[in-house]
Amino acid sequence: MRRACCRLLCAAPLTVALLSLTVSGCSSSDSQQLYHDGLKAARAADRQRLLECIQSLPDDDSVAPIRAVLRGHLHCLDQKPRLALLEFSLGNRDERTREESWFQAGKLSYEAKQYAEALALLRQVIQWNADRLEAHQLTAAACYDIGAMEQAIGSLKEVMRLQPDDFRPRHMEASILQDFERFGDAELAWREAAARVPPDSTASEEVHAGWGDCLVRLRKYDRALEVLEKAGAWSDVLARKAQASSALRKFDAARTHAAAALGGRHPVAREEGGFAYVSEGLAANDLVVLTRLVDPLDNTLLKIDMA
């Protein structure tokens, strides 16, 4: 009996030491795993799992930055951005958490339309990790929103590098180039987007509508009509078909497309003056052109204030 008690007593210090080592291990590799699990839960908007990861962290100052970042994500899920920013700031100097801290702060700044702050934070993230896809995506969006189009395109090129099969950055690039009337470059970008967009989807129709519009502006009317066949039957698409058909002297087809774009009706006068547009998405000049195609003698729309 005394031997058994002795063994237990002798074993006690060793057991305590082993337990101490286990707790110590939890503050390193186990804590890092909980951090990654928490980030995964945050991305999946799994609040319960994220909270479990936070509560499973040891009460140790060495994991304070990890706890802060995960709490920041929890506040994001709870739609409390100010509290989230405060937590992220507590993890912005630790090498384990600084990239995530700065990125999330940049994301919150972008959502708050604080574009200068967002760009400064996101560019630092990219310096640390040039392959952080979301940082390039948000940088492109922020540059676009402030009108820095060349910088936006540069960021989109990085997105394309990281996701070569994604049509979306090429779609955005084509739209930017077209807005700046760089139609030759835009056509190439539209073609690249069309080659990657899922077929038979709304996105495919949008891409082909933009591409067809670009081709009309380049006066490549035959090719425009081919592309616009995959662009659906929206009013602006029908207007471009009418324009291309008219340029090719296919007047019957032009009148058919124009009538369809107008919904078979002419604009009607409103009581307060001016005219109501019969088809959403059509500009006033489109309505004038289309009405003339349907009925060359109709001058109703000449009264529209084009300003």
Side-chain angles (χ1 to χ4, degrees):
M1 184 68 174
R2 292 185 60 185
R3 290 183 180 178
C5 291
C6 184
R7 284 198 299 270
L8 288 172
L9 289 171
C10 292
L14 179 59
T15 302
V16 171
L18 289 172
L19 288 172
S20 176
L21 287 172
T22 302
V23 171
S24 176
C26 184
S27 66
S28 55
S29 61
D30 289 351
S31 296
Q32 197 67 21
Q33 185 60 53
L34 285 169
Y35 178 52
H36 291 304
D37 290 347
L39 294 180
K40 183 178 179 180
R43 286 191 289 270
D46 187 345
R47 190 184 188 282
Q48 182 59 38
R49 176 56 183 152
L50 175 56
L51 187 58
E52 289 173 359
C53 291
I54 295 171
Q55 293 173 340
S56 299
L57 288 169
D59 187 13
D60 191 319
D61 289 343
S62 66
V63 297
I66 290 175
R67 183 182 298 106
V69 171
L70 294 184
R71 281 179 177 172
H73 277 289
L74 190 65
H75 288 313
C76 286
L77 292 180
D78 292 340
Q79 298 183 358
K80 298 177 180 178
R82 291 186 179 179
L83 291 176
L85 275 173
L86 179 61
E87 293 287 357
F88 290 133
S89 70
L90 299 176
N92 64 8
R93 294 187 180 182
D94 191 285
E95 290 188 1
R96 297 168 296 176
T97 57
R98 66 180 185 181
E99 180 186 322
E100 183 68 12
S101 295
W102 283 61
F103 172 75
Q104 293 300 331
K107 182 179 178 181
L108 288 170
S109 297
Y110 174 78
E111 291 172 352
K113 298 184 178 180
Q114 298 172 346
Y115 300 122
E117 293 85 347
L119 286 170
L121 291 162
L122 293 168
R123 284 168 176 159
Q124 179 59 68
V125 172
I126 291 169
Q127 283 188 10
W128 287 326
N129 182 2
D131 292 339
R132 179 109 189 202
L133 175 65
E134 311 100 304
H136 291 294
Q137 291 171 326
L138 271 181
T139 299
C143 289
Y144 178 84
D145 287 338
I146 64 174
M149 298 308 178
E150 291 297 336
Q151 295 179 46
I153 290 174
S155 294
L156 289 172
K157 296 293 186 186
E158 289 299 305
V159 177
M160 295 176 203
R161 175 180 67 83
L162 295 168
Q163 286 194 325
D165 296 328
D166 191 348
F167 78 94
R168 292 172 298 180
R170 291 167 175 81
H171 185 179
M172 187 174 179
E173 179 191 25
S175 299
I176 292 172
L177 291 168
Q178 192 148 317
D179 286 344
F180 279 79
E181 299 186 354
R182 291 169 54 181
F183 299 119
D185 294 333
E187 181 190 3
L188 296 176
W190 284 121
R191 187 185 305 165
E192 291 292 319
R196 291 166 172 79
V197 69
D200 302 322
S201 64
T202 301
S204 177
E205 291 184 354
E206 292 174 352
V207 167
H208 283 88
W211 187 9
D213 181 47
C214 181
L215 290 165
V216 168
R217 294 171 186 270
L218 289 169
R219 300 184 180 182
K220 298 180 179 181
Y221 300 117
D222 284 312
R223 181 60 177 145
L225 288 173
E226 293 177 11
V227 169
L228 290 170
E229 283 301 308
K230 298 181 179 180
W234 301 338
S235 295
D236 57 338
V237 172
L238 293 167
R240 295 296 161 260
K241 285 184 175 181
Q243 185 178 351
S245 297
S246 179
L248 293 170
R249 305 186 67 80
K250 298 178 180 180
F251 298 118
D252 288 342
R255 280 190 289 270
T256 299
H257 293 313
L262 290 169
R265 295 170 292 152
H266 293 285
V268 294
R270 293 198 298 250
E271 291 182 1
E272 64 271 21
F275 291 84
Y277 296 173
V278 298
S279 296
E280 185 178 355
L282 289 177
N285 60 326
D286 282 333
L287 289 167
V288 172
V289 172
L290 293 172
T291 303
R292 285 178 172 172
L293 283 171
V294 174
D295 185 356
L297 299 179
D298 189 341
N299 291 321
T300 302
L301 287 178
L302 295 179
K303 298 177 184 177
I304 290 181
D305 182 4
M306 301 297 288

